[in-house]
Amino acid sequence: MEQEAEDVPVVYLHEIKRQYTQGTETLTILNGAKLALWAGQSVALVAPSGAGKSTLLHIAGLLETPDDGEVYIGGAPTSQLSDIERTLIRRTDIGFVYQSHRLLPEFSALENVMLPQMIRGLKRAETVKRATEILAYLGLGDRIKHRPAELSGGEQQRVAIARAVANAPRVLFADEPTGNLDPHTADHVFGAMMQLVKATRVAMLIVTHNMELAGRMDRRVSLEEGQVVELD
């Protein structure tokens, strides 16, 4: 994929360091990690268990604070922001998809996708319109009134993706989003995510063990000795 002439990455991790203490031991998970994510680009993060993939994802998504280094969102540093300011960025600029869909069981597919928009303060009529459009785009136009228990695993995960992009984020982070799905369903869900990247120019970073899916993305990166390395 050719990089367009954007001067600033959507997300830039600069010299990120993160350590954890276990008893008397200090574990260095990230040690000067750098990563740039660009608009409209899909990136696969593949590395062995325990290498720090989820830690990197959480730091990039402002869910966790690094010990050192800086996370830039749209070129702006975030380390000095208050919790409220960080929450606002997560609400408006960042979408998350997890291995478990985490849908609210008492609400319909439509209502699950409406909720992030309503929390943001959009009017109900606007949230209904946008949620309906996104679900239809993901092939769920005839399932919008169904609750999660009435949907298949693949349908539930597509609702979770719709919810993640409901507020038109700049970047989408996904942690093993197809890990609980059979290969055919995983391929369908992955295809839906790639469609969204192309249609909306959202930047996407996916943690995955599925090398076949990773091979279809624009870039592949891994973690070695606490640093991000490009594959291929």
Side-chain angles (χ1 to χ4, degrees):
M1 175 179 175
E2 290 187 8
Q3 181 61 48
E4 292 192 11
E6 283 125 338
D7 294 329
V8 179
V10 176
V11 176
Y12 178 55
L13 307 182
H14 179 67
E15 296 285 356
I16 298 297
K17 295 184 179 180
R18 189 71 173 101
Q19 295 180 326
Y20 297 104
T21 301
Q22 287 188 346
T24 58
E25 278 192 78
T26 298
L27 302 177
T28 299
I29 305 300
L30 299 174
N31 188 21
K34 296 179 182 178
L35 178 65
L37 303 175
W38 300 89
Q41 188 179 69
S42 58
V43 182
L45 174 57
V46 291
S49 296
K53 300 185 299 296
S54 293
T55 298
L56 185 79
L57 207 66
H58 291 164
I59 289 174
L62 305 186
L63 291 170
E64 192 172 330
T65 303
D67 298 319
D68 199 7
E70 184 63 83
V71 179
Y72 295 89
I73 305 291
T78 61
S79 60
Q80 300 303 312
L81 297 180
S82 67
D83 287 343
I84 292 175
E85 290 169 325
R86 291 165 68 87
T87 298
L88 183 60
I89 291 175
R90 287 197 301 270
R91 188 178 297 165
T92 57
D93 292 339
I94 299 172
F96 293 95
V97 181
Y98 299 95
Q99 184 169 338
S100 173
H101 54 77
R102 300 187 183 182
L103 300 176
L104 297 173
E106 66 272 27
F107 293 111
S108 68
L110 182 68
E111 290 166 336
N112 266 281
V113 181
M114 288 168 58
L115 277 172
Q117 302 173 74
M118 295 179 74
I119 291 170
R120 188 176 176 180
L122 299 182
K123 293 181 179 178
R124 181 178 175 83
E126 189 176 349
T127 69
V128 170
K129 180 176 183 293
R130 178 164 174 78
T132 301
E133 288 174 350
I134 297 171
L135 288 167
Y137 182 80
L138 293 175
L140 296 168
D142 60 346
R143 311 291 279 169
I144 62 174
K145 294 185 179 179
H146 289 66
R147 293 184 180 181
E150 301 170 310
L151 301 172
S152 70
E155 288 171 337
Q156 291 175 31
Q157 196 64 318
R158 278 184 281 158
V159 174
I161 293 166
R163 179 183 59 187
V165 300
N167 281 330
R170 297 184 185 189
V171 60
L172 182 63
F173 295 113
D175 196 350
E176 294 285 357
T178 61
N180 286 336
L181 306 175
D182 65 79
H184 175 76
T185 305
D187 184 71
H188 194 63
V189 169
F190 178 81
M193 297 182 78
M194 294 299 287
Q195 271 185 306
L196 280 170
V197 170
K198 289 180 173 59
T200 65
R201 291 198 49 74
V202 66
M204 181 169 70
L205 177 65
I206 295 183
V207 169
T208 182
H209 284 100
N210 189 323
M211 294 304 294
E212 191 275 326
L213 294 184
R216 290 158 55 187
M217 298 176 70
D218 297 318
R219 287 167 59 203
R220 283 148 297 283
V221 299
S222 188
L223 285 167
E224 294 180 7
E225 298 182 353
Q227 297 191 1
V228 177
V229 295
E230 297 278 342
L231 300 178
D232 299 339

